[in-house]
């Protein structure tokens, strides 16, 4: 593993160039704790079930989870995965089918076992698909392959017959335990907790040796490999972790909808919006997905209210404008050394 | 046996649509490495224009090639200079990908607003005209599709081989950086390839209007089909892309005939994955263009 230390020292040099980083880090951590405390206690003084901002923030959290997962594979590792909607759907369906068929016999609402299962199932698929794809392809071809995987998964769920419920999917309302009242407060907290957890996982993963390997792969795959980084291993790890976060988000969303169908958990929106959120927020930054998720969902929220029916047109325009004028994202604005911003064609 | 030949024929004829789209994608991807996911949407847009000019003014779809293709070319130039010029120069692929996604959302929903969600299809006087050769029933319109595809492939091929700009486009798809060093205006080369890609979407739009029933959501799936055809045939080869399209048509029709219509998609995307994994340069592509690990 001598290679990683070499890269590490290069990274340290880069970091040493920006003075006062520790102080900045502390400020960010403090702001982060404040935000967590604020959003974590929000249901105590705001009625998230009846107030409209409960649904709003719940959706932001779910998108933030998916976006954070894509950030790991697409942002930090630089492998554009176009299969996040498949993993989201697999997660949602894992939860729905296990619950619907009473496999675990627990019958809880927000069953931790089911949620873990819906994180594990996409990860398994990601490893199975990722190993052949990532060992042979990179860059755009990986994007093609994951796109194909996403289409296959979608068609499989539509054609699943009795097993998946076909195009109607599975209604889960009848499975609600009789003593549980549907309260959005639970959803809010679960989504928030998972979103924070996923952010922490991505943060510690990317600031560890794994993260250095991932960034090395993003910058120059051949150089990383020649310095002893096991490129395939780290790519598959990033792909699988990204997939399982999308899966958990899928199960949480499934608990919210209580009806899992191909048209609501496998759509293009769960593929392209998280990518947009990451890129708008700042690719390869820990807060980028949060900023992106908040802003993009805010836009679509008010777009739906004030421009009813024209919201998809609006989001198309917004995507184009963001990419034209903010291609390196909001988090890239304040940074003096945006290490992804200056990667001009031909240098990689 | 006769039915198998019929299935193969239908496959080739319908696959020629994928072929035209794949040649366009190949030009755009080849020079700029943009995954132009909005290609299908552009085709649907032009199909609507053809449909509209037939319904309103009674212009024959094949006559409207004369207006739609130049219009598409100019639109392509405009889109390139407006949207993709800067993004094409970035190493970050996400930007150009998302630009194409944004364009897709925008045009899809503009189509929805302009022409509603009802699927459209043209009914021309010769829609059902058939030709019977050795017991094979072939619709004239589908035969015309193959003609369109072959003609587009030959025109693009001649352009790439015989003209100076075409030579520059070929050079750019080999190595953009080296091309720039040779004093070739890489922006202009990219613009030309992009515009031709969109012009081919115009050609495909005419084909789609005459044979398919289409709606505003048809574009995304069609773009991915074109991508499958491109991967099958291999990037960097005009006739390879066309052959990939024909092959995809055959695969889909065989799957529909032997397995069932619901499993067409599984067959085509399954072949897509297998080709990507085991034969990333495609059947007719050049090995050197595929970066392997």
């Amino acid at each position: 593993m001598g290679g990683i230390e070499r890269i590490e020292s290069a990274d340290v040099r880069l970091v040493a160039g920006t003075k006062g980083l520790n102080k900045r880090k502390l400020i960010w951590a403090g702001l982060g704790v404040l935000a967590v405390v604020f959003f974590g206690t929000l249901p105590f003084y705001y009625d998230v079930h009846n107030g409209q901002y409960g649904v709003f923030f719940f959706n932001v959290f779910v998108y933030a989870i998916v976006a954070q997962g894509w950030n790991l594979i697409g942002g930090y590792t630089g492998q554009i995965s176009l299969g996040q909607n498949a993993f989201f759907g697999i997660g949602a369906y894992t939860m729905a089918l296990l619950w619907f068929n009473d496999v675990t016999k627990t019958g809880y609402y927000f069953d931790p076992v089911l949620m873990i299962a819906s994180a594990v199932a996409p990860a398994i698929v990601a490893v199975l698909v990722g190993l052949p794809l990532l060992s042979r392809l990179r860059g755009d071809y990986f994007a093609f392959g994951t796109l194909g995987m996403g289409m296959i998964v979608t068609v499989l769920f539509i054609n699943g017959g009795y097993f998946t419920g076909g195009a109607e999917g599975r209604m889960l309302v009848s499975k609600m335990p009789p003593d549980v009242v549907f309260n959005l407060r639970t959803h809010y907290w679960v989504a928030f907790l998972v979103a924070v957890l996923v952010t922490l996982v991505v943060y510690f993963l990317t600031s560890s040796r794994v993260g250095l390997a991932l960034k090395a792969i993003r910058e120059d795959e051949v150089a990383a490999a020649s310095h002893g980084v096991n490129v395939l291993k780290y790519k598959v790890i990033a792909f699988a972790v990204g997939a399982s976060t999308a899966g958990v988000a899928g199960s949480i969303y499934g608990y919210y909808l209580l009806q899992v169908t191909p048209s609501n958990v496998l759509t293009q929106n769960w593929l392209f919006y998280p990518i947009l959120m990451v890129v708008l927020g700042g690719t390869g930054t820990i807060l980028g997905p949060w900023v992106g998720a908040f802003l993009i969902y805010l836009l679509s929220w008010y777009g739906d209210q004030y421009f009813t029916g024209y919201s998809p047109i609006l989001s198309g325009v917004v995507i184009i404008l963001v990419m034209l004028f903010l291609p390196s994202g909001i988090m890239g604005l304040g940074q003096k050394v945006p290490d992804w911003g200056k990667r001009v064609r031909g240098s990689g | 046996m006769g039915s198998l030949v019929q299935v193969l024929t239908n496959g080739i004829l319908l696959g020629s649509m994928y072929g035209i789209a794949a040649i366009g994608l190949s030009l755009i991807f080849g020079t700029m490495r943009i995954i132009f996911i909005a290609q299908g949407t552009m085709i649907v847009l032009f199909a609507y224009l053809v449909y509209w000019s037939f319904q309103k003014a009674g212009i024959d779809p094949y006559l409207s090639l004369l207006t739609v293709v130049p219009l598409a070319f100019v639109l392509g130039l405009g889109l390139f200079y407006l949207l993709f010029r800067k993004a094409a120069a970035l190493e970050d692929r996400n930007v150009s990908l998302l630009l194409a996604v944004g364009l897709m959302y925008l045009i899809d929903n503009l189509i929805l607003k302009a022409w509603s969600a009802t699927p459209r299809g043209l009914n021309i006087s010769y829609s059902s005209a058939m030709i019977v050769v050795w017991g094979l029933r072939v619709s004239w319109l589908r035969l015309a599709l193959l003609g369109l595809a072959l003609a587009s492939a030959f025109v693009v091929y001649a352009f790439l081989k015989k003209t100076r700009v075409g030579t520059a486009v070929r050079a750019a798809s080999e190595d953009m950086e080296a091309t720039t060093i040779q004093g070739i205006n890489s922006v202009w080369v990219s613009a030309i390839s992009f515009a031709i890609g969109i012009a081919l979407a115009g050609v495909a739009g005419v084909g789609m209007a005459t044979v398919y029933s289409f709606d505003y959501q048809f574009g995304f799936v069609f773009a991915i089909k074109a991508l499958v055809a491109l991967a099958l045939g291999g990037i960097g080869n005009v006739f390879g892309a066309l052959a990939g399209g024909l092959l995809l048509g055959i695969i889909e029709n065989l799957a529909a005939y032997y397995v069932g219509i619901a499993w067409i998609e599984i067959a085509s995307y399954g072949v897509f994955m297998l080709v990507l994994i085991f034969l990333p340069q495609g059947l007719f592509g050049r090995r050197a263009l595929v970066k392997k690990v």
Side-chain angles (χ1 to χ4, degrees), chain A residues 135-148:
Chain A
S135 66
R136 288 173 154 265
L137 308 172
R138 67 183 200 207
D140 305 313
Y141 283 75
F142 176 66
F144 293 171
T146 45
L147 196 57

Side-chain angles (χ1 to χ4, degrees), chain B residues 249-268:
Chain B
I250 293 175
I251 292 169
E252 290 198 332
N253 275 272
L254 283 179
Y257 187 71
Y258 287 107
V259 194
I261 288 177
W263 299 95
I264 292 179
E265 317 276 302
I266 297 282
S268 46

Side-chain angles (χ1 to χ4, degrees), chain A residues 36 74 88 133 169 186 224 277 307:
Chain A
V36 168
F88 188 86
L133 276 184
T186 331
M277 286 161 177
F307 304 96

Side-chain angles (χ1 to χ4, degrees), chain B residues 80-163:
Chain B
F80 177 80
Y81 279 105
L82 207 63
L83 300 182
F84 290 96
R85 191 165 65 93
K86 272 189 194 155
L90 289 174
E91 171 86 358
D92 194 345
R93 286 284 170 282
N94 301 331
V95 176
S96 54
L97 172 72
L98 284 175
L99 273 175
V101 171
L103 198 62
M104 181 175 80
Y105 275 47
L106 180 63
I107 296 179
D108 274 358
N109 290 289
L110 284 177
I111 290 175
L112 173 65
K113 285 289 162 199
W115 286 289
S116 85
T118 324
R120 303 297 167 111
L122 271 185
N123 197 4
I124 325 163
S125 54
Y126 48 92
S127 271
S128 52
M130 288 276 193
I131 175 176
V132 182
V133 188
W134 299 308
L136 272 181
R137 292 167 58 78
V138 180
S139 128
W140 275 112
L141 276 176
R142 293 189 179 188
L143 206 59
L145 281 188
L146 185 62
L148 267 188
L150 283 174
S152 329
F154 273 110
V155 168
V156 173
Y157 180 80
F159 164 76
L160 290 177
K161 288 283 180 189
K162 301 287 182 204
T163 63

Side-chain angles (χ1 to χ4, degrees), chain A residues 136 141 145 159 269 312 343 345, chain B residues 89 91 105 109 235 262 277:
Chain A
R136 288 173 154 265
Y141 283 75
N159 288 349
N269 283 1
R343 287 191 301 143
R345 185 181 188 115
Chain B
E91 171 86 358
Y105 275 47
N109 290 289
I235 288 155
I277 291 171

